[in-house]
Amino acid sequence: MLIVVKKYRKLYGAKGHTKGQFMIIILMQEYKTDMIKNDYDKVKDFAYMHPGLRIRSLSWRINSRNLIGMHQGMDKNKAKGIDGIAKDDYAKNLEVNISFLVERLKRETYNPKLTRRTYIPKLNGKMRPLGISCYEDKLVEGCVALILSSVYESRFMDFSYGFRPAKSCHQAIGAVRKIITTGKINWIIEADIKSFFDTVDHKQLIKFGA
């Protein structure tokens, strides 16, 4: 059962909390007891039903179950970070490793390690820099990415295809082809922002997504 209360401060005696924040807390407590759907689907459904509310307190979803699920779905052939640990290495003491990782996350003593810099060739002959994370960092990053995707996925437009679940470049090409063949199109313009991720203001980016 889900109960929404209007007079939050009188009933809870809280200070400095907005009505939206209390609504988030009540709804998310309801979700904690419902194990019918997985954690990320519940966040996605909540974000879709309440697009105007800011969702908080999601860090607890980076738990043992989700980290183990992330480990199981990890490609064993992924490149190693500076720790030199691969999926098979981490799996030898999986429960102990995950338990220690969760403990550090809860105590806020977890710190991601440095990434290993490598370069891959681009079609134009230049090199694209890549950062290879350590194995535990890949697990945490994967969980965070799924949480953020669950929150923001419903806010994207249908014509946005880049790096989205169940979306692909082939679908984008198909959509463009349909527009060209059925619509009155005179010009096709391809645009790209040069070195966008190298030059974007990360502080502004974080502020925008907060």
Side-chain angles (χ1 to χ4, degrees), residues 151-168:
V151 172
Y152 291 105
E153 173 62 24
S154 62
R155 305 185 187 185
F156 282 91
M157 299 295 182
D158 290 337
F159 54 75
S160 178
Y161 291 88
F163 303 99
R164 293 181 62 191
K167 295 280 189 179
S168 69

Side-chain angles (χ1 to χ4, degrees), residues 2-207:
L2 177 61
I3 301 175
V4 178
V5 184
K6 291 184 178 180
K7 296 182 179 179
Y8 300 94
R9 295 193 179 186
K10 284 188 177 181
L11 291 177
Y12 292 89
K15 297 181 180 179
H17 289 79
T18 65
K19 180 184 290 187
Q21 290 172 340
F22 270 112
M23 191 172 186
I24 293 290
I25 293 170
I26 296 170
L27 289 171
M28 296 313 286
Q29 286 176 345
E30 162 71 12
Y31 273 18
K32 284 183 181 181
T33 61
D34 179 13
M35 304 304 295
I36 297 175
K37 294 184 178 181
N38 66 51
D39 286 343
Y40 304 115
D41 282 343
K42 289 182 286 187
V43 174
K44 183 177 180 180
D45 292 344
F46 179 82
Y48 179 79
M49 291 185 295
H50 306 278
L53 295 180
R54 178 173 294 181
I55 301 179
R56 299 177 182 271
S57 302
L58 291 174
S59 59
W60 66 272
R61 294 186 183 276
I62 310 177
N63 51 40
S64 297
R65 181 182 61 182
N66 291 334
L67 287 167
I68 290 175
M70 186 61 59
H71 163 79
Q72 293 172 343
M74 189 72 68
D75 183 359
K76 67 178 182 180
N77 295 318
K78 275 186 171 292
K80 301 177 183 179
I82 61 172
D83 59 347
I85 296 176
K87 179 178 181 177
D88 292 340
D89 301 323
Y90 198 79
K92 293 178 181 178
N93 295 295
L94 182 60
E95 293 185 2
V96 174
N97 290 332
I98 292 294
S99 177
F100 183 49
L101 175 57
V102 171
E103 181 181 351
R104 282 177 285 147
L105 288 167
K106 288 181 177 179
R107 293 183 177 181
E108 299 183 358
T109 58
Y110 162 80
N111 289 303
K113 297 182 175 64
L114 296 176
T115 57
R116 180 171 66 85
R117 176 65 75 189
T118 187
Y119 296 86
I120 60 174
K122 299 172 65 174
L123 294 176
N124 60 7
K126 296 182 179 180
M127 302 297 287
R128 183 189 305 277
L130 291 179
I132 310 299
S133 301
C134 294
Y135 191 79
E136 276 194 339
D137 297 334
K138 291 177 183 176
L139 300 181
V140 177
E141 290 165 1
C143 287
V144 172
L146 284 176
I147 291 173
L148 293 177
S149 178
S150 299
V151 172
Y152 291 105
E153 173 62 24
S154 62
R155 305 185 187 185
F156 282 91
M157 299 295 182
D158 290 337
F159 54 75
S160 178
Y161 291 88
F163 303 99
R164 293 181 62 191
K167 295 280 189 179
S168 69
C169 59
H170 295 287
Q171 291 176 333
I173 294 172
V176 171
R177 178 179 297 174
K178 182 178 180 180
I179 293 172
I180 294 173
T181 55
T182 61
K184 295 181 180 180
I185 305 299
N186 296 321
W187 294 89
I188 299 176
I189 301 174
E190 180 185 3
D192 188 19
I193 301 176
K194 182 179 179 181
S195 302
F196 174 76
F197 290 107
D198 296 331
T199 57
V200 65
D201 189 327
H202 290 89
K203 290 184 178 179
Q204 289 295 325
L205 193 63
I206 294 172
K207 183 179 180 180

